[in-house]
Amino acid sequence: MSTHKDFRFTVDVRRDAERTVAVTTEAGLGLTVATPPEFRDGVAGLWSPEHLLVAATASCYALTLAAVADRRQIPLCDVTITAAGHVTRRADARFGFVVVELGVTLTTEEGFEEDARSAARAAEAGCLVAHALEVPVEVELKILTEAPTLA
């Protein structure tokens, strides 16, 4: 028998200035978010909604990968992700994201390469944020190894 879980993640957004807003989580964590400088009258040096979307996708993937590897007992020695969200005129003539690319470099112990590759693909399939997007999330995976540490 499966148990249905229902979670809510809430934020409050308050306008600070013409091109900035204050975003606060229910736990009181806050950010100042601005229109990016790439857009007319954008503000440099602050998080933009576009950066937050790319960061949410990449961090969701990283945390999902860590959970999958932990459940499968696959050693992850290191994981780094370089993420890029591409915004342009889309096929539907609207301006928006067309793809989010994740460059993932994963280091595991020798002998776990295929297990790590399988965990990375499972994380790709299980990332909640990526599933919420209308655009594809493409993962380019590179796996490195290091010798196991002796305890």
Side-chain angles (χ1 to χ4, degrees):
M1 174 189 273
S2 71
T3 303
H4 176 74
K5 294 181 181 178
D6 186 4
F7 302 102
R8 286 182 48 139
F9 298 92
T10 62
V11 296
D12 293 319
V13 177
R14 181 181 45 81
R15 182 174 181 251
D16 275 349
E18 187 172 332
R19 295 286 179 169
T20 66
V21 296
V23 180
T24 310
T25 68
E26 65 270 9
L29 301 173
L31 284 173
T32 299
V33 179
T35 304
E38 291 83 357
F39 300 156
R40 189 176 66 116
D41 297 326
V43 180
L46 295 173
W47 282 91
S48 72
E50 294 77 12
H51 284 110
L52 290 171
L53 183 135
V54 174
T57 304
S59 60
C60 180
Y61 177 85
L63 294 169
T64 303
L65 173 59
V68 170
D70 187 53
R71 277 194 305 275
R72 296 181 182 183
Q73 298 181 333
I74 301 166
L76 293 182
C77 304
D78 190 38
V79 176
T80 59
I81 299 173
T82 302
H86 296 269
V87 174
T88 191
R89 183 83 48 206
R90 302 181 328 183
D92 62 5
R94 293 172 36 211
F95 190 72
F97 280 92
V98 293
V99 67
V100 175
E101 296 173 330
L102 304 181
V104 180
T105 301
L106 182 158
T107 304
T108 188
E109 292 178 4
E110 291 178 9
F112 285 92
E113 297 88 348
E114 286 309 310
D115 294 331
R117 186 175 316 283
S118 175
R121 295 300 172 220
E124 192 174 349
C127 176
L128 293 176
V129 172
H131 293 297
L133 303 176
E134 288 183 11
V135 299
V137 175
E138 298 176 356
V139 175
E140 180 181 317
L141 178 64
K142 179 184 192 180
I143 297 183
L144 307 174
T145 62
E146 64 180 44
T149 56
L150 301 175

